[in-house]
Amino acid sequence: MSSTPTIAIVGRPNVGKSTLFNRLTQTRDALVSDIPGLTRDRRDGVFEVGEHTLRLTDTAGLEDASKGSIADRMRQQSMAAIEAADLVLFVIDARAGITPDDEAFARIARSSGKPVVLVANKSEGRAAAGGFYEAFKLGLGDPVAVSAEHGEGLSDLIADVASALGLKITVREKARRGDDEEPAEDAATAKRKPLRIAIVGRPNAGKSTLVNALLGEDRMITGPEPGLTRDAVSTAFDWKGRPILLFDTAGLRRKAKITEEAEKLSASDAIRAIRFAEVVVILVDAEHPLEHQDLTIAGHAAEEGRAVIIGVNKWDLIDNKQRHLKDIRDKVANSLAQVPGISVVPVSALSESGLDKLMQAVFSTAEIWNRRISTPELNRWLPSALARHAPPASSGRRIKLRFITQPSTRPPTFVAFCSKPEGLPKSYIKYLTNDLRDTFKMPGVPIRFNLRKSDNPFEKRRGRSGKS
Ligand code: GDP
C-alpha cells in the first residue's frame, strides 16, 4: 500500500457517488485537483480519518459516458480506478434496490480482489430497508447504511474504511452506534454527547418538581442549548458525570390558562418532546396512574421508536406501596404489550427519592436502545427460534426464514429474509420479536422486525427468465 491509501468510489450512475465524495472531502475542505497520474474524468480529493490522510477518487464523471446500460468505457474506467485503489467504496442506492447494473459493477469489484466497503446510500427513511437487505446478496460483505445527502451513518462508514485499511483511528469508539455525527468530530466530543431525555406526562403529575429535583442546587446547569428548535425548553446538566439534555415540557404548559387548553397543549408538547428525545420518561401520578392520556403518550413514544420509562411520582402518598406497584406493573404489561419490559420506577420528586433508580433505568434502557447484535449471533439464534416454534405453511409450503441481520439501532431494527413475507402471520412475527427480545435481553425498547422477500441471499441468482 502506498503511503497515502487511495479509495475509489464505484457504483452505477445516480447512486450518489458524488454526494458521498463531497461529504467525505468537505469535512476537511481539502479538494486536491492536481494529484498526478490520474485521468481528467475522475475527481480526486482527500479526507482525513484520525491522523491519516486518504485519497479519494470519484468515478462519477464517467456517468456521462453511460446511456442506458453501462458503457464499456465506463466499465473500463471503473476497472482502472479500482486497479489504482487500495480500497473500493462500492455504492448502491438502498431505495432503488439492487439492479443488474449494480451486479455488473459488483462483479468487477469482486474480481479485483481489492477490499470493498459496501455502502447502502440514500438510507434515510424506511423506504431504504429493502435495498439494504438486497445488498447482502452482492457478496461484498455487510453493507453500511448511510445517507450522503443527510450526513447520516458516516461515522460507521469511516470506521469500516479504517478497519478495512488496517488503520487505527480515534473516532473508532463511536462507530457502530448508528449516530449521525460528522466524521470530523473527535472521540472526546462523541463521548460527551449528551443523552436526550424528555419528561412528559399529564398536568400536575409533578414534571416541574421532578426536573427541579434532578437539576438540584449543586448540579451544573449549562443550558439552554443553542441549535434546538426555538420553543424547545431544554436544559443541559450532568447526572453523576453523565451529560444529559433534558427536554422539559412543564415550562411550556404554564402558559395555558384553562384546563382543557392545558391538556391539549401538553399533548402537543409531549409529541414534540418525544421527537427530540432518545429516552422518554412518562411521569404519572401514583394516585391516578396510567390514565388514557398517559397510555396514548406512551404508545406514541413506542410508535416513534423511543426508549420508554414510566416514572410513578408522588410515591410518598401511597400506603400499600408493594401492592400498588404490582398493580401498576400489571397494567403497563397489559396496556403497552407492544413493548414488554418497560421499567416502572416509583419516585417522589418532592422528597427527592427514587431519582437514582429512575436515572439508572434511563441509562440502561438507552444502552439497550443503542445496542447492536452481530449478524453471526443473530443467525445462531434464528434457527433455534424456528425449531422451537416452526413457521406455518402457506398454500401447502412451509414458509422459510433464512437470514437475519440488524441494519440499525435506536431503536433496534432487524430484517429477516423470508420465502413468503406476505404469508407469515403477524402472530409469528410477534413470537420472533419477543423471543429475540428475551434472548438478547432487550426490555423496554421498541423492536422493529421487518421481513424481506428472498429465497436465499447467498444463492446465485438464477437466469432472469426463471422464477427466483
Ligand atoms: P407538572 O404540571 O407535571 O409540572 O406538575 P408540578 O411539578 O407543578 O406538580 C404538581 C403538584 O404536585 C405540585 O403541587 C407539587 O408540589 C406536587 N408534587 C410533585 N411531586 C410530588 C411528589 O413526589 N409528592 C407529592 N406529595 N407531591 C408532589
Side-chain angles (χ1 to χ4, degrees):
M1 195 186 296
S2 58
S3 56
T4 305
T6 298
I7 300 170
I9 303 185
V10 173
R12 67 174 175 83
N14 281 322
V15 292
K17 296 188 293 296
S18 293
T19 315
L20 183 62
F21 176 92
N22 291 337
R23 259 294 162 191
L24 291 171
T25 52
Q26 90 193 3
T27 60
R28 278 289 181 263
D29 200 24
L31 263 170
V32 177
S33 54
D34 58 355
I35 295 176
L38 292 165
T39 60
R40 268 208 300 137
D41 44 0
R42 287 188 223 138
R43 228 162 30 122
D44 291 290
V46 297
F47 75 111
E48 282 165 29
V49 173
E51 57 275 35
H52 306 278
T53 300
L54 306 181
R55 181 191 292 184
L56 199 60
T57 301
D58 177 18
T59 56
L62 304 168
E63 292 183 4
D64 300 342
S66 122
K67 286 232 161 64
S69 71
I70 319 164
D72 255 4
R73 177 166 157 271
M74 189 173 170
R75 194 176 294 157
Q76 276 161 22
Q77 290 290 352
S78 292
M79 274 189 218
I82 292 171
E83 203 50 52
D86 299 294
L87 175 77
V88 177
L89 279 190
F90 190 89
V91 187
I92 63 137
D93 176 341
R95 282 196 308 226
I98 301 302
T99 69
D101 280 356
D102 288 319
E103 291 177 338
F105 275 96
R107 273 193 294 277
I108 297 173
R110 263 201 316 267
S111 64
S112 73
K114 295 283 166 80
V116 176
V117 171
L118 178 57
V119 183
N121 191 32
K122 310 192 190 177
S123 278
E124 73 279 0
R126 288 181 200 183
F132 180 87
Y133 283 102
E134 276 185 359
F136 280 90
K137 72 183 176 194
L138 290 174
L140 294 171
D142 286 13
V144 50
V146 310
S147 169
E149 185 139 343
H150 297 263
E152 292 166 11
L154 297 174
S155 55
D156 277 3
L157 172 60
I158 302 270
D160 282 3
V161 165
S163 99
L165 289 170
L167 304 175
K168 285 218 178 66
I169 55 163
T170 43
V171 290
R172 190 164 35 93
E173 303 162 42
K174 70 181 178 178
R176 304 259 73 115
R177 289 190 347 206
D179 286 357
D180 51 6
E181 318 94 317
E182 293 297 316
E185 208 178 325
D186 64 21
T189 316
K191 252 190 259 134
R192 273 191 275 109
K193 198 170 177 167
L195 180 65
R196 296 199 304 275
I197 304 173
I199 296 179
V200 299
R202 289 181 299 120
N204 273 321
K207 297 182 294 296
S208 313
T209 313
L210 177 63
V211 169
N212 289 332
L214 287 173
L215 298 181
E217 298 268 316
D218 48 341
R219 264 164 224 127
M220 195 178 57
I221 300 170
T222 54
E225 280 294 290
L228 294 164
T229 52
R230 269 213 280 129
D231 50 359
V233 181
S234 74
T235 310
F237 69 102
D238 275 24
W239 182 268
K240 313 245 148 106
R242 306 271 306 256
I244 309 277
L245 205 52
L246 190 69
F247 193 105
D248 167 16
T249 57
L252 292 169
R253 191 189 46 77
R254 287 249 162 64
K255 290 181 215 131
K257 296 246 158 54
I258 57 169
T259 325
E260 204 181 316
E261 212 180 303
E263 291 282 334
K264 246 196 247 153
L265 199 55
S266 120
S268 65
D269 284 351
I271 286 167
R272 197 171 33 232
I274 287 166
R275 206 175 297 142
F276 155 93
E278 298 170 286
V279 181
V280 176
V281 176
I282 294 157
L283 196 67
V284 302
D285 184 329
E287 294 191 307
H288 318 276
L290 296 168
E291 298 201 342
H292 180 71
Q293 205 188 347
D294 297 323
L295 293 173
T296 307
I297 291 174
H300 178 74
E303 185 77 16
E304 291 290 303
R306 270 37 181 192
V308 177
I309 303 277
I310 293 181
V312 186
N313 191 31
K314 311 193 188 177
W315 201 242
D316 51 295
L317 300 178
I318 300 302
D319 289 331
N320 194 342
K321 291 186 173 11
Q322 244 177 354
R323 174 70 201 276
H324 198 62
L325 187 59
K326 187 184 177 302
D327 287 350
I328 295 176
R329 290 205 163 120
D330 287 350
K331 190 161 185 194
V332 168
N334 290 327
S335 316
L336 297 166
Q338 68 271 40
V339 186
I342 291 179
S343 289
V344 176
V345 187
V347 297
S348 172
L350 203 59
S351 56
E352 306 201 354
S353 66
L355 304 184
D356 243 330
K357 287 224 166 77
L358 181 71
M359 293 309 286
Q360 270 163 27
V362 164
F363 289 127
S364 70
T365 308
E367 185 273 315
I368 295 168
W369 195 64
N370 278 290
R371 189 178 300 166
R372 191 180 289 269
I373 302 167
S374 76
T375 306
E377 273 182 285
L378 286 169
N379 287 285
R380 277 195 294 275
W381 163 77
L382 182 62
S384 73
L386 298 174
R388 258 173 281 130
H389 181 17
S394 169
S395 328
R397 299 189 63 174
R398 189 164 293 288
I399 298 175
K400 295 198 167 91
L401 286 116
R402 286 201 177 90
F403 181 77
I404 180 169
T405 182
Q406 182 185 355
S408 60
T409 60
R410 309 157 64 82
T413 302
F414 301 87
V415 176
F417 285 95
C418 180
S419 58
K420 196 175 180 191
E422 68 284 2
L424 203 64
K426 280 214 172 68
S427 59
Y428 194 79
I429 298 173
K430 203 164 147 196
Y431 155 71
L432 288 175
T433 309
N434 287 338
D435 203 85
L436 186 66
R437 184 190 291 286
D438 290 346
T439 305
F440 295 103
K441 305 202 169 41
M442 296 186 284
V445 302
I447 290 180
R448 301 208 165 123
F449 197 106
N450 304 316
L451 293 174
R452 181 81 195 137
K453 166 106 182 122
S454 172
D455 275 352
N456 183 342
F458 297 119
E459 200 173 75
K460 268 232 149 75
R461 260 199 183 174
R462 276 169 257 169
R464 300 229 143 251
S465 52
K467 220 180 152 293
S468 66

